Amino acid sequence: MIRLALEPLVVGRSLRVEEMGPHDMRARGEGRGTGRTKAWIDAAGLLDGARVSRLERRGKRLAMVAADGRVLVVQLGMSGQLMLAPDAAATHRHVTWRVSGQRHPLVFRDPRRFGGVTPYASPEALHEAWDAELGVDALSVTGPQLAAVLRGTRAVKALLLDQRAIAGVGNIYADESLFLAGIDPRTRCAKVGRSRARELADAIRTVLRRAVRTGGSTLRDHRTALGKPGQAQQLHAVYGRSGEPCVRCGALLRSATLAGRTTAWCPGCQRRSGAVQKG
DNA sequence: CAGGTATCCTGTCCGC
DNA sequence: TGCGGACAGGATACCT
């Protein structure tokens, strides 16, 4: 979504770092302080004077690849925004780039500072890192690919949140995908058979494509790269609806903490694979 | 190995 | 109106 929206606005254009926020952000392998660390200044300033040749995305990470080979990856975390729009909020801006030929700057802002930027010396270095840290991209995951990582005793919900297994699924869309596939989030990975793995892969692609098409889920702060609220939250069948009746079967939706995250599901529609369901 | 928990931050909402 | 606490879209370090 963000990549699709920004691509026509920044590719082929040059960047100037116009402003840097007062705080440093997470830079891989570095701690954070209240002031600016050298790592942060190096990362945030990396694309100063660079011409953007393309944008690449895998999972939740977006890479801006410069014509001279420099690469800057942006991760938004929980509250991050990357936008080129007239109404980008002025607070919590961490990097502001002037984009040649564009009236409005490109802004990376993130109130909670869970996001960050990571510099790479080349596209090769970028891909090497991504291959090591990220699994197959969720927007195009296939049944066999998912089946290959569905091993072990952990809950399938935990696997969906593991970016090394599948890259790009977060808490909302993990729950929505499991609902669409009719799988109980507590199901152990190894209990998910091949056919259900395919159904889950289909569900993940469907849910994410829908979310991309509708601009993502705006619960509060989220905005598209053009500054508009998303609409995907209107499609939520289970996320944030614990206690309400299931849209499919009417049973009351349950919730529990799983893999450290609030998890909602329908006890009627979603079942554990394999053995007979038990309380 | 895998699960739970704490941690990094700020903003918002709710109950008192 | 103010205040404390719970909670939030993510990721990781560190326990057990």
Side-chain angles (χ1 to χ4, degrees), chain A residues 188-206:
Chain A
R188 310 280 186 176
C189 289
K191 301 262 185 184
V192 179
R194 234 161 249 176
S195 76
R196 305 203 84 197
R198 198 170 70 85
E199 288 168 10
L200 182 53
D202 290 348
I204 291 168
R205 293 196 313 274
T206 298

Side-chain angles (χ1 to χ4, degrees), chain A residues 139-213:
Chain A
L139 262 176
S140 58
V141 67
T142 66
Q145 285 171 338
L146 188 55
V149 294
L150 275 167
R151 284 177 283 105
T153 58
R154 67 176 160 165
V156 62
K157 161 87 183 249
L159 181 97
L160 294 187
L161 295 177
D162 182 352
Q163 303 302 301
R164 307 178 84 107
I166 315 163
V169 181
N171 199 36
I172 295 174
Y173 303 122
D175 283 5
E176 295 298 318
S177 300
L178 288 164
F179 172 77
L180 190 58
I183 298 172
D184 186 312
R186 299 165 299 177
T187 308
R188 310 280 186 176
C189 289
K191 301 262 185 184
V192 179
R194 234 161 249 176
S195 76
R196 305 203 84 197
R198 198 170 70 85
E199 288 168 10
L200 182 53
D202 290 348
I204 291 168
R205 293 196 313 274
T206 298
V207 164
L208 288 181
R209 284 196 181 149
R210 247 176 0 206
V212 168
R213 206 165 52 228

Side-chain angles (χ1 to χ4, degrees), chain A residues 40 50 54 65 78 108 130 138 141 144 148 159 184 206 215-216 240 277:
Chain A
W40 162 245
R54 64 179 185 276
V65 182
M78 299 260 262
F108 171 41
W130 278 6
V141 67
L159 181 97
D184 186 312
T206 298
Q277 186 173 3

Side-chain angles (χ1 to χ4, degrees), chain A residues 221-245:
Chain A
D221 297 324
H222 168 74
R223 293 294 182 275
T224 70
L226 303 179
K228 306 296 179 201
Q231 301 298 322
Q233 69 280 4
Q234 294 169 17
L235 304 171
H236 295 174
V238 291
Y239 179 85
R241 303 194 112 105
S242 171
E244 295 178 30

Side-chain angles (χ1 to χ4, degrees), chain A residues 15-20 44-49 95-98:
Chain A
L15 302 178
R16 274 289 165 206
V17 174
E18 191 172 85
E19 208 176 338
M20 256 185 237
L46 183 77
L47 295 184
D48 189 42
V95 192
T96 303
W97 292 274
R98 179 141 294 287

